[in-house]
């Protein structure tokens, strides 16, 4: 298989694998989907500073509308609160609740076990290569996004 064929295969596989991993991951816990879990992980990375919907959307590479929708679903479940910014009422901020903290204390191992099982047959050189490849691909996507924004 030549380089172009491999690139085409990688490109298509990214989408297929993302869907398959999501479906598989959603089976871990009926209470929370993988995308909801990732949403909460992103919010937690802001370390106590309640991020805006836009902040979360940028981190997830998703639209503000989809992120707001997910925030409202998680708010109904009691895992986050969505509140207006103290200085700009147009801005919504997302905070994790005690229920969310408790959930992750009880269930954090499930997520870690899932990820470790997913990559159990990957030795260090393969992990390092994939890591480097993902970083390069991410940086290229960011460069292309900036170029499209300037058009």
């Amino acid at each position: 298989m030549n380089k172009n064929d491999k690139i085409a295969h990688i490109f298509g596989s990214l989408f297929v694998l993302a869907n398959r991993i999501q479906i598989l991951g959603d089976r871990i816990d009926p209470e929370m989907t993988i995308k909801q879990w990732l949403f909460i992980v992103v919010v937690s990375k802001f370390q106590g500073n309640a991020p805006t919907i836009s902040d979360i959307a940028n981190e997830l590479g998703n639209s503000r509308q989809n992120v707001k929708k997910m925030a409202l679903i998680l708010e109904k479940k009691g895992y986050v609160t969505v509140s207006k910014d103290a200085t700009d009422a147009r801005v919504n901020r997302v905070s994790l609740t005690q229920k969310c903290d408790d959930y992750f204390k009880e269930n954090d191992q499930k997520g870690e076990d899932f990820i470790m099982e997913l990559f159990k047959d990957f030795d260090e050189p393969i992990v390092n290569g994939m890591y480097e490849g993902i970083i390069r691909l991410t940086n290229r996507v960011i460069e292309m996004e900036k170029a499209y924004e300037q058009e």
Side-chain angles (χ1 to χ4, degrees):
M1 193 180 284
N2 67 36
K3 180 181 176 184
N4 288 346
D5 290 340
K6 287 179 184 178
I7 288 171
H9 180 80
I10 291 167
F11 181 77
S13 294
L14 287 172
F15 297 101
V16 172
L17 280 172
N19 289 334
R20 293 179 76 182
I21 291 169
Q22 180 181 340
I23 290 166
L24 192 59
D26 286 351
R27 294 180 181 166
I28 295 172
D29 186 348
E31 177 66 21
M32 187 173 297
T33 68
I34 283 289
K35 285 188 175 187
Q36 290 169 347
W37 174 82
L38 183 59
F39 178 101
I40 289 170
V41 168
V42 166
V43 172
S44 72
K45 297 293 183 197
F46 285 87
Q47 301 177 349
N49 298 324
T52 66
I53 295 290
S54 295
D55 292 335
I56 299 165
N58 288 336
E59 288 295 314
L60 289 174
N62 213 325
S63 71
R64 289 180 63 251
Q65 293 81 4
N66 286 343
V67 169
K68 177 132 188 210
K69 186 176 176 182
M70 188 173 305
L72 294 174
I73 290 168
L74 287 167
E75 185 174 45
K76 284 181 185 175
K77 289 183 171 189
Y79 291 110
V80 302
T81 57
V82 179
S83 56
K84 299 288 182 193
D85 183 80
T87 59
D88 187 346
R90 297 170 297 173
V91 175
N92 290 303
R93 294 195 172 271
V94 178
S95 302
L96 303 179
T97 64
Q98 186 60 50
K99 179 180 178 178
C100 185
D101 291 342
D102 294 343
Y103 174 85
F104 273 89
K105 284 177 187 166
E106 292 175 25
N107 295 287
D108 198 34
Q109 194 62 45
K110 283 183 192 177
E112 188 173 325
D113 290 347
F114 173 74
I115 293 169
M116 290 302 111
E117 179 67 19
L118 192 61
F119 289 94
K120 80 175 189 175
D121 296 328
F122 291 59
D123 62 16
E124 192 160 347
I126 291 174
V127 170
N128 290 341
M130 286 185 73
Y131 178 81
E132 179 65 30
I134 294 292
I135 295 296
R136 286 185 186 189
L137 186 58
T138 300
N139 290 338
R140 186 66 193 128
V141 167
I142 291 168
E143 288 174 15
M144 291 174 72
E145 287 172 340
K146 287 178 183 175
Y148 282 121
E149 287 172 5
Q150 293 174 354
E151 288 182 353

